[in-house]
Amino acid sequence: LGGRCRNKLAINNNKLTQQHDHQTATTPRFLQNEEEEEDPFVCLATCPTELCTCANTTEYGFPDPYDCATELNTVCTTPDGVDDCFPSDELPFYQELYCEFSSCWLKDG
C-alpha cells in the first residue's frame, strides 16, 4: 500500500520465489493531502488558571483528561465550571467524555 511494487526473482531456501521491492510513491494519496489541523485550545478568561496552565504543558496543547485530570475534574464538578472554560459547541464533548474520564481516572487510576 502507498507505493508501487517491482517484482524481483530470488532464491529462498533453494526455491525460486517472487519478491517485491517497495518503492515510495512520488505523490501522496488523496487522503494524505487532507491534513486535519485541530483548532488550538484557547483558555477563556473565566476558566481557572490551573486548567489553562496544565493545558499549555500537554503534548497537544489542550486539557486532556489524563494529564489534566485533577484540574479538569475541578472544573467539571464546579457549577457552571465547564460553561466557563469551553465554547458552547464543545460543551457536550467535555461534559460527556472528558469530565467522565477525568473523574474515573482520579477514582480508579
Side-chain angles (χ1 to χ4, degrees):
L1 293 175
R4 289 168 276 157
C5 292
R6 178 179 62 219
N7 292 334
K8 180 168 79 172
L9 295 178
I11 298 176
N12 290 331
N13 296 328
N14 294 325
K15 295 180 185 174
L16 190 61
T17 61
Q18 211 171 27
Q19 289 183 334
H20 298 281
D21 287 338
H22 179 75
Q23 294 179 344
T24 306
T26 56
T27 58
R29 292 175 285 175
F30 74 96
L31 291 177
Q32 291 174 324
N33 287 331
E34 298 176 15
E35 291 185 22
E36 289 187 34
E37 291 186 25
E38 293 188 25
D39 293 332
F41 175 71
V42 176
C43 201
L44 302 178
T46 53
C47 195
T49 56
E50 295 83 11
L51 183 62
C52 299
T53 301
C54 185
N56 288 329
T57 62
T58 64
E59 181 179 358
Y60 298 107
F62 67 91
D64 73 76
Y66 174 76
D67 292 325
C68 299
T70 301
E71 297 82 355
L72 192 54
N73 190 59
T74 299
V75 166
C76 292
T77 56
T78 302
D80 297 324
V82 177
D83 295 339
D84 290 343
C85 285
F86 307 107
S88 59
D89 62 325
E90 296 178 10
L91 289 179
F93 174 77
Y94 281 97
Q95 290 168 331
E96 297 167 12
L97 184 65
Y98 273 30
C99 287
E100 294 294 322
F101 186 84
S102 65
S103 173
C104 180
W105 181 254
L106 290 173
K107 287 178 189 172
D108 300 327

